[in-house]
Amino acid sequence: MVKKNVPKKLDLSYLESLMGYNARRAALSIIEDFNIRMVEIQLKPVEFSVLSLISRNPNISAKEICSALFILPPNIVSILKSLESRDLISRQVDEKDKRQIALSLTKNGKSLIKKAEKLAMQSDQLTTQHITPSEREQLIFLLKKIYQAAA
Amino acid sequence: MVKKNVPKKLDLSYLESLMGYNARRAALSIIEDFNIRMVEIQLKPVEFSVLSLISRNPNISAKEICSALFILPPNIVSILKSLESRDLISRQVDEKDKRQIALSLTKNGKSLIKKAEKLAMQSDQLTTQHITPSEREQLIFLLKKIYQAAA
DNA sequence: TATTGTTATACTCTATAACTATA
DNA sequence: TATAGTTATAGAGTATAACAATA
């Protein structure tokens, strides 16, 4: 008789009592679903966030994106390059301060972010389907309190 | 980590309505505090989790750690090597199944994880000090519901 | 001098294929 | 054949230093 591979019961109680452990595990499982859903439009989480931010804040600068999304300046460069090469964003040098470059969505970018935000919202609904809408609101409220207090 | 200042008023409302965005931001800010506090005992989050897991589950195998903490088998190797080189864990080949290696804490490991768990709990208390104890319980309960439903 | 954007680069984290030894 | 652990390696993510153009 072949022994069945039953997963051994492990004591995870201490780790599960820590906020950091639970927040990270939840974030990873949510982002995993997000990534699966975004395969069809080829957007990574950070690319999605950047596009969505530009969409709602036209003529935003790279520095402002970095501050808002906690991206280091050297790391935004390849992200913007990639989005520009896909004709999703365009850059226009600020004539008043030629150091700054105003970013905006192209027609393609506007079309894609519209679809992407729908997919993201679907993913969000799916990953939170086991809690009630009011629990979901409460959860987001408390998460914000944690990271906004740290800022 | 990036400096935290958002000088200009940017519209982040859409991203802040997504669970994934908020969970990730909260996890990152909590882990940032954890890392600062753990500098003195030189433990990364994953090393801490592994030590704590071995502490509460003596003779656990590498495979079991990987399953519990979502670490891929090739990536646990260097973690265990490092912990062993610091004389924090010891390995003993299972005589019944020589493929398996039972892991346990050394005297040093037991001493260190005791201190580490105190520091981790302090960090957890600090990062959740702006919410009430019952809100904290509710938050952990809801986060668990999200990632355990996905598993 | 200070700031925005950039290059180069390094270090960490995560992922895949394939090997070994044991069963 | 299957499993536990390992090696090698590649890709992604994140970090610092230093530079050019502009203010």
Side-chain angles (χ1 to χ4, degrees):
Chain A
M1 187 107 184
V2 181
K3 228 195 310 188
K4 203 178 169 186
N5 191 7
V6 178
K8 207 199 262 182
K9 285 212 171 74
L10 291 174
D11 182 357
L12 278 156
S13 57
Y14 176 79
L15 292 175
E16 287 177 351
S17 76
L18 295 175
M19 190 63 72
Y21 177 82
N22 290 289
R24 180 152 196 275
R25 286 292 296 263
L28 287 177
S29 84
I30 292 168
I31 290 166
E32 188 182 12
D33 183 88
F34 177 95
N35 283 329
I36 292 168
R37 206 168 293 259
M38 289 295 171
V39 163
E40 85 175 83
I41 57 174
Q42 291 286 97
L43 280 185
K44 289 182 260 189
V46 67
E47 293 172 329
F48 170 79
S49 298
V50 168
L51 279 186
S52 176
L53 199 58
I54 297 174
S55 164
R56 283 174 170 67
N57 302 276
N59 298 320
I60 191 174
S61 72
K63 184 174 182 6
E64 288 171 324
I65 293 176
C66 287
S67 298
L69 300 181
F70 283 19
I71 301 168
L72 290 168
N75 298 332
I76 196 71
V77 177
S78 63
I79 296 167
L80 294 178
K81 264 186 191 164
S82 169
L83 294 175
E84 192 180 26
S85 77
R86 291 168 66 184
D87 189 32
L88 298 173
I89 63 169
S90 66
R91 314 155 98 119
Q92 182 156 7
V93 174
D94 184 335
E95 285 305 319
K96 292 167 193 158
D97 181 345
K98 287 179 181 169
R99 290 173 306 183
Q100 290 192 51
I101 298 169
L103 299 164
S104 56
L105 296 192
T106 62
K107 195 179 170 189
N108 279 343
K110 286 176 188 170
S111 167
L112 190 72
I113 195 59
K114 198 174 165 186
K115 185 168 184 182
E117 287 186 350
K118 272 184 199 159
L119 290 173
M121 200 48 86
Q122 282 173 22
S123 172
D124 213 67
Q125 295 298 323
L126 187 79
T127 53
T128 57
Q129 68 184 339
H130 292 94
I131 63 178
T132 69
S134 80
E135 283 176 332
R136 188 181 171 283
E137 288 311 303
Q138 172 78 346
L139 182 44
I140 287 179
F141 173 76
L142 294 174
L143 290 171
K144 266 188 204 162
K145 260 195 165 178
I146 287 178
Y147 71 76
Q148 286 175 350
Chain B
M1 265 301 157
V2 184
K3 271 277 163 271
K4 294 152 185 140
N5 59 330
V6 183
K8 211 175 182 180
K9 286 171 274 170
L10 290 176
D11 182 357
L12 279 156
S13 57
Y14 176 79
L15 292 175
E16 287 177 351
S17 75
L18 294 175
M19 189 64 71
Y21 178 82
N22 290 289
R24 180 151 196 275
R25 287 291 295 264
L28 287 177
S29 86
I30 293 168
I31 290 166
E32 188 181 14
D33 184 87
F34 178 96
N35 283 330
I36 291 168
R37 206 168 292 260
M38 289 294 172
V39 164
E40 83 174 85
I41 58 174
Q42 290 286 97
L43 280 185
K44 289 181 260 187
V46 67
E47 293 172 328
F48 170 78
S49 299
V50 168
L51 279 186
S52 176
L53 199 58
I54 297 174
S55 164
R56 283 175 169 67
N57 302 275
N59 298 320
I60 190 173
S61 71
K63 183 173 182 11
E64 288 171 325
I65 294 177
C66 286
S67 298
L69 300 181
F70 280 51
I71 302 169
L72 290 169
N75 297 332
I76 196 73
V77 177
S78 63
I79 296 168
L80 295 178
K81 264 185 191 166
S82 170
L83 294 175
E84 191 179 27
S85 75
R86 291 169 66 184
D87 189 31
L88 298 174
I89 64 169
S90 66
R91 315 156 97 118
Q92 182 156 9
V93 173
D94 184 333
E95 284 306 319
K96 291 168 196 159
D97 182 345
K98 289 179 179 168
R99 291 173 304 181
Q100 289 192 51
I101 299 170
L103 300 164
S104 56
L105 296 192
T106 62
K107 195 178 170 189
N108 280 342
K110 286 176 189 171
S111 167
L112 190 72
I113 195 60
K114 197 174 165 187
K115 186 170 184 182
E117 287 185 350
K118 274 184 196 159
L119 290 173
M121 201 49 85
Q122 282 172 24
S123 172
D124 213 67
Q125 295 298 323
L126 187 79
T127 52
T128 57
Q129 68 184 341
H130 292 95
I131 62 176
T132 69
S134 80
E135 283 176 332
R136 187 181 171 282
E137 289 311 303
Q138 173 76 349
L139 182 43
I140 287 179
F141 172 77
L142 293 174
L143 289 171
K144 265 188 205 162
K145 261 196 165 177
I146 286 178
Y147 70 77
Q148 287 175 351

